Amino acid sequence: AQSVTQLDSQVPVFEEAPVELRCNYSSSVSVYLFWYVQYPNQGLQLLLKYLSGSTLVKGINGFEAEFNKSQTSFHLRKPSVHISDTAEYFCAVIYPGGDMRFGAGTRLTVKP
Amino acid sequence: DAGVTQSPTHLIKTRGQQVTLRCSPKSGHDTVSWYQQALGQGPQFIFQYYEEEERQRGNFPDRFSGHQFPNYSSELNVNALLLGDSALYLCASRRGQGFYGYTFGSGTRLTVV
């Protein structure tokens, strides 16, 4: 079955600390991977995507993610977070022949 | 450059009624997908339209139907509303059938009472 699992529903972190939001997916074939951010009462904004090539992907707002095919993971990282990074983050996968499937989301709360 | 536009932004309906939500894709985009996002959950794929045809469908009942017009705009219709249909409905657009990621609208918040 095709599934996307975000391992942490909530991640609290202090300002300027590093953060990692974890995402695993189920697949034995090549997929396309995405991270989106959602601020309250807004739609989804694309942070970064992996389609092919280098497994380390850099996105907007200082975020980056690493694709690990053997572990079927696509974890999102930021070396130093800001209060403004507080939001809901969604991992998404496009399976061959399919549309985009999302994880349940991780709420990142950055504390001063 | 306008992004994805959805209307209305908020809507309250009574159980059993019917509702129509509208979406105008980003300029240059011709593929539209609809998602339902219940409170505290990730978006769930409803269906995708391309060239005025439903191309893919998620696990949603036939009460959910849609349409795409020649100008690529789209409508989502939900019949016989249930309380459980209360959610944020997101429209997303992209160019063709490629995998470059969607551009999302801000959504329509539907409340069924």
Side-chain angles (χ1 to χ4, degrees):
Chain A
Q2 300 172 347
S3 66
V4 183
T5 303
Q6 292 185 240
L7 297 160
D8 307 291
S9 60
Q10 298 186 57
V11 173
V13 64
F14 287 104
E15 193 173 18
E16 298 184 4
V19 69
E20 178 180 79
L21 307 184
R22 298 180 293 168
C23 174
N24 285 89
Y25 63 94
S26 62
S27 181
S28 59
V29 297
S30 295
V31 297
Y32 302 101
L33 298 157
F34 305 80
W35 275 98
Y36 282 86
V37 61
Q38 186 176 37
Y39 299 100
N41 300 315
Q42 294 188 26
L44 301 172
Q45 180 183 5
L46 180 66
L47 282 177
L48 47 78
K49 59 181 180 285
Y50 173 78
L51 304 181
S52 65
S54 173
T55 58
L56 183 62
V57 180
K58 294 189 182 298
I60 63 172
N61 301 341
F63 284 94
E64 63 180 32
E66 186 159 17
F67 168 59
N68 188 318
K69 186 175 182 179
S70 63
Q71 297 187 9
T72 59
S73 67
F74 190 55
H75 300 335
L76 180 71
R77 302 186 183 101
K78 187 169 183 178
S80 176
V81 295
H82 304 290
I83 297 290
S84 59
D85 292 323
T86 294
E88 191 85 19
Y89 291 79
F90 293 96
C91 178
V93 179
I94 294 182
Y95 292 90
D99 208 90
M100 189 172 284
R101 299 290 190 267
F102 287 84
T106 297
R107 177 163 296 279
L108 174 64
T109 303
V110 182
K111 306 175 183 178
Chain B
D1 180 22
V4 178
T5 304
Q6 292 187 243
S7 63
T9 56
H10 295 83
L11 200 54
I12 299 176
K13 288 287 189 178
T14 303
R15 189 172 44 184
Q17 286 188 316
Q18 178 264 343
V19 69
T20 298
L21 310 182
R22 295 177 175 81
C23 172
S24 294
K26 182 178 179 179
S27 177
H29 288 186
D30 54 9
T31 300
V32 173
S33 289
W34 286 92
Y35 290 81
Q36 181 195 65
Q37 186 179 17
L39 199 61
Q41 297 183 24
Q44 300 293 315
F45 172 66
I46 302 175
F47 43 54
Q48 179 199 97
Y49 276 86
Y50 175 65
E51 295 184 334
E52 301 181 50
E53 291 187 11
E54 182 182 294
R55 298 291 179 166
Q56 297 179 45
R57 189 179 184 91
N59 189 26
F60 278 80
D62 292 344
R63 298 187 298 108
F64 289 77
S65 63
H67 188 75
Q68 186 178 37
F69 299 93
N71 66 353
Y72 309 122
S73 67
S74 177
E75 288 182 349
L76 164 65
N77 301 292
V78 186
N79 294 322
L81 284 167
L82 303 174
L83 297 179
D85 295 331
S86 295
L88 179 68
Y89 288 84
L90 295 166
C91 171
S93 71
R94 70 184 188 200
R95 183 184 307 133
Q97 296 285 281
F99 302 118
Y100 303 108
Y102 279 111
T103 299
F104 280 83
S106 297
T108 294
R109 173 72 62 186
L110 172 65
T111 303
V112 182
V113 297

